[in-house]
Amino acid sequence: MFKFIGILIPLLIIAGIGSLIWYIFMKARYKTVAPNEAMIITGPKVGNPDKEENVYKDNEGRYMRIIRGGGYRMKMFQSSNKVSLKSFQLKTEVPSVFTEGGLEVSANAVATVKVSDDLQGIVKYAEQFLGKDQKEVANEIENVLNFNLRSILSKMTVEEINSDREGFNNQVTEVAQKQLNNMGFVITSLGLSSIEDNENYLKNKGKP
């Protein structure tokens, strides 16, 4: 009897330690997602894209699962990356561009952008920006905004820009958004913060 108890106790201790290790391991594999985040799961056996709406297969044959809210217990050899869905602000500057009337102006704009909330947008973001730091991402978005800001400025007269800034902002937003859609970003607001010319035309225009 005592011999049996002497064997049973070590076995129970080993089983308890094993269960504890397994619990800790499984708990570490369970990832949760905040409401303002998305999580991208990559690796083997992430799911079937033909049957699950949040599982995607890209052009290179890689599979990814997008998690929005709740949690996910990761399998062996899977990895996860969280994506912030919070908006952030970018400032873009055009130091010199000629307007439709031939007047040289400089302009500044402020835009608020964020990763798209929909699954397709998150996938496009993951394909192009996963692994890049925030500065690299911001630079690429700034380049898109800067190009479109310059383009719209060159197609309007300075009077049109200055008298209808809301219309100008809408034009830049509409054109830039088409390109940012392919990058997985959405513009939540964009505004022309300042416009100046080297000849003080705008300042003198307001004088009696």
Side-chain angles (χ1 to χ4, degrees):
M1 181 67 178
F2 290 106
K3 184 178 181 181
F4 174 74
I5 295 174
I7 297 173
L8 181 61
I9 291 175
L11 289 175
L12 290 174
I13 293 173
I14 293 171
I17 294 173
S19 299
L20 180 62
I21 293 172
W22 178 253
Y23 171 78
I24 293 172
F25 173 76
M26 294 302 290
K27 187 174 178 63
R29 300 295 291 176
Y30 187 79
K31 306 292 184 180
T32 57
V33 187
N36 58 358
E37 290 180 327
M39 185 165 61
I40 300 169
I41 308 296
T42 55
K45 300 180 180 179
V46 295
N48 187 341
D50 297 325
K51 296 180 180 180
E52 299 174 87
E53 293 182 354
N54 64 334
V55 177
Y56 293 86
K57 181 181 179 182
D58 65 16
N59 296 329
E60 298 180 9
R62 297 176 299 184
Y63 289 84
M64 63 180 75
R65 176 185 286 271
I66 310 300
I67 306 297
R68 285 294 314 276
Y72 177 78
R73 191 178 301 283
M74 295 173 58
K75 301 181 177 73
M76 291 291 291
F77 307 113
Q78 290 182 348
S79 59
S80 65
N81 291 276
K82 287 187 177 181
V83 177
S84 174
L85 301 178
K86 293 180 181 179
S87 59
F88 56 95
Q89 207 172 69
L90 295 172
K91 295 180 180 179
T92 182
E93 177 182 356
V94 177
S96 176
V97 63
F98 286 93
T99 63
E100 176 65 25
L103 186 67
E104 185 180 11
V105 299
S106 61
N108 295 287
V110 178
T112 303
V113 300
K114 66 184 293 297
V115 176
S116 178
D117 286 321
D118 63 82
L119 297 178
Q120 291 288 351
I122 296 170
V123 170
K124 289 177 181 178
Y125 168 86
E127 290 174 339
Q128 299 172 69
F129 298 105
L130 207 59
K132 292 185 178 182
D133 61 38
Q134 184 64 24
K135 188 174 181 181
E136 289 181 278
V137 176
N139 284 340
E140 293 196 36
I141 299 173
E142 283 178 21
N143 289 337
V144 172
L145 296 174
N146 187 279
F147 173 81
N148 288 285
L149 182 63
R150 177 181 292 275
S151 177
I152 302 298
L153 282 169
S154 67
K155 295 176 182 178
M156 297 176 68
T157 65
V158 70
E159 289 87 359
E160 291 172 334
I161 299 166
N162 197 48
S163 63
D164 186 14
R165 292 201 179 191
E166 183 178 354
F168 173 82
N169 295 337
N170 290 338
Q171 284 194 58
V172 177
T173 301
E174 183 179 355
V175 177
Q177 186 59 67
K178 293 178 181 178
Q179 298 176 36
L180 291 181
N181 282 339
N182 296 325
M183 300 164 66
F185 285 92
V186 61
I187 302 171
T188 58
S189 69
L190 184 145
L192 186 67
S193 55
S194 67
I195 180 169
E196 298 177 353
D197 65 278
N198 296 333
E199 301 176 15
N200 291 322
Y201 173 76
L202 288 170
K203 289 183 178 179
N204 294 330
K205 195 174 186 305
K207 292 181 180 180

